[in-house]
Amino acid sequence: MHDIPSLDARSFRELCADHGLAATHQRQMLYDVMRTMPGHPSPEEIYARLKRRIPAISLATVYKNIHLFVERGVLKEVSMHHGSLRVEMNGHPHHHLVCSQCKAITDIEEEDFGMLPTLQRLPGGFEVDRYAIDVIGICAACQKAKSS
Amino acid sequence: MHDIPSLDARSFRELCADHGLAATHQRQMLYDVMRTMPGHPSPEEIYARLKRRIPAISLATVYKNIHLFVERGVLKEVSMHHGSLRVEMNGHPHHHLVCSQCKAITDIEEEDFGMLPTLQRLPGGFEVDRYAIDVIGICAACQKAKSS
DNA sequence: ATAGCTGCAAATCGTTTGCGCCATG
DNA sequence: CATGGCGCAAACGATTTGCAGCTAT
C-alpha cells in the first residue's frame, strides 16, 4: 500500500502531522498531483489525473480532502466567491469586503482606498479591463459570534 | 397585467428600450426587488422576495433575466470566479489575472505590482486578513481568437 | 484498539433547458 | 400578429452525504 515516491514522503508525513491529518496514500498522491498540475485545475481535473495513479480513488475522496486541506490551512481557495451567482447594480467604481467566515459581501467605494494598485509587468498580450479588489477578513458579526 | 408602480415605470421602460429588452412586468418587478434588497442576494433569495409580488413567477425566469441583464450590461457579476472550486498551493503572496472571456486564471506575483492598495476607512469592526486583487481583462489567446 | 479514512451510491443544490402558451412591440 | 418572454417540469453538473468496511496511529 505504498510506492511511487516522487514527492518526499518524509516531508509529506511531517506536513500531515503538523496539521493533524493522517498521512494516507491517497492524500499524498492528491497533494503531489496538485503540486505538479499547472494553473488552477478543477476537482474533476485533479480527479482524472489522480485516477491514473490510484485507479480506485473516488471523486468524493478528492472533494473531502481538498476541503480538509483548506480547513487546516494546507491550501487556500482561489476565491471567496464560489457559491451562487451574485450580481450588482452599484454603478460607481467600488470593491468588496468579504467575510471569510460567513461569506457576506459588503461594498467599499473606490475613494476609500488611499492608493490603487498599479501593474508594472504583465504577461504578454493581456489587455487589462479593470481591477477587482477583495478585502478578506472577519466581519464584526462573526467576531462577536466567535468570542461568545 | 400591470399595477404596483413603486419604481418609476417610465424610466424602467427607457432602460429596457436602451438595452433592447421588452419591458415586461416580471422584469420590472425583478429589477425593483434587486434595487431594494441590501447586499448581494442570491438568485434564490431574490426569487423568494419576488414571489411575494408575483406569486406565479418562476425561478427560471429569475435566472434567465439576471443573465440577460448581465449580457446587456444592465448589471454586472460580483466575481468572475463562479464556476467550480479552485485552490492553490502557491505559498508566496500573489494575485490573479482573470480572462473575462475564457475564465482562465494566471498568477501574478505581488512584486509585479508597483503599488498596493491601502484602505483608509473601513466599516467598523471588520478585521482585515489579506487583499486579493483580480486583474480582469482579455488574455492573449482570446484576443487572437476574436480577431480571426 | 479506535478514531479517522475510504469508496460507493444516492441525495442535494444551484442552474439550465425544452416546450407549449401568452404578452409586448 | 410575429417575436420574444413566461411558467413548468425535467435534465444537468457540481458537490455532499450516509454508510459499511479498511487503515493509520
Side-chain angles (χ1 to χ4, degrees), chain B residues 1 13 22-24 43-44 59-60 63-64 67:
Chain B
M1 216 100 316
R13 196 159 266 289
T24 69
E44 289 276 358
L59 181 54
Y63 274 102
K64 284 170 188 166
H67 286 314

Side-chain angles (χ1 to χ4, degrees), chain B residues 13-54:
Chain B
R13 196 159 266 289
E14 282 168 15
L15 182 86
C16 287
D18 289 352
H19 294 274
L21 295 169
T24 69
H25 180 54
Q26 1 318 61
R27 272 177 198 161
Q28 175 163 359
M29 292 302 103
L30 169 61
Y31 187 81
D32 195 40
V33 159
M34 291 198 291
R35 260 172 55 107
T36 56
M37 283 181 84
H40 296 279
S42 66
E44 289 276 358
E45 290 165 335
I46 293 168
Y47 169 65
R49 184 78 86 90
L50 192 47
K51 210 160 186 172
R52 303 214 289 258
R53 297 199 193 177
I54 310 178

